[in-house]
Amino acid sequence: MDALGLKDRKHFRMAYLQPALDAGLLGMTIPDKPNSRLQKYRITEQGQTLLAQRVS
């Protein structure tokens, strides 16, 4: 969110985060507790492949 310069959490979650999770580009570090305050996200192998293709 900070990297994109966005301030509205709801818009960020619905427009960016959820679509990336649904597409399998991001994964949760604590998938059984999606609302945990300790929740973080990691890029999946599929996401890394997509990034590598865009950089090349």
Side-chain angles (χ1 to χ4, degrees):
M1 214 168 104
D2 291 334
L4 297 173
L6 300 173
K7 296 182 189 280
D8 186 9
R9 289 179 187 266
K10 184 177 179 182
H11 174 72
F12 172 74
R13 188 173 54 251
M14 295 190 68
Y16 297 95
L17 186 59
Q18 195 59 50
L21 287 167
D22 293 342
L25 302 174
L26 293 178
M28 295 181 185
T29 58
I30 313 171
D32 55 323
K33 295 183 179 180
N35 295 323
S36 171
R37 66 181 180 84
L38 303 175
Q39 184 65 262
K40 294 181 183 177
Y41 301 91
R42 59 178 176 75
I43 190 164
T44 63
E45 207 171 298
Q46 182 181 357
Q48 289 178 348
T49 301
L50 181 65
L51 279 177
Q53 290 174 355
R54 293 182 133 260
V55 171
S56 299

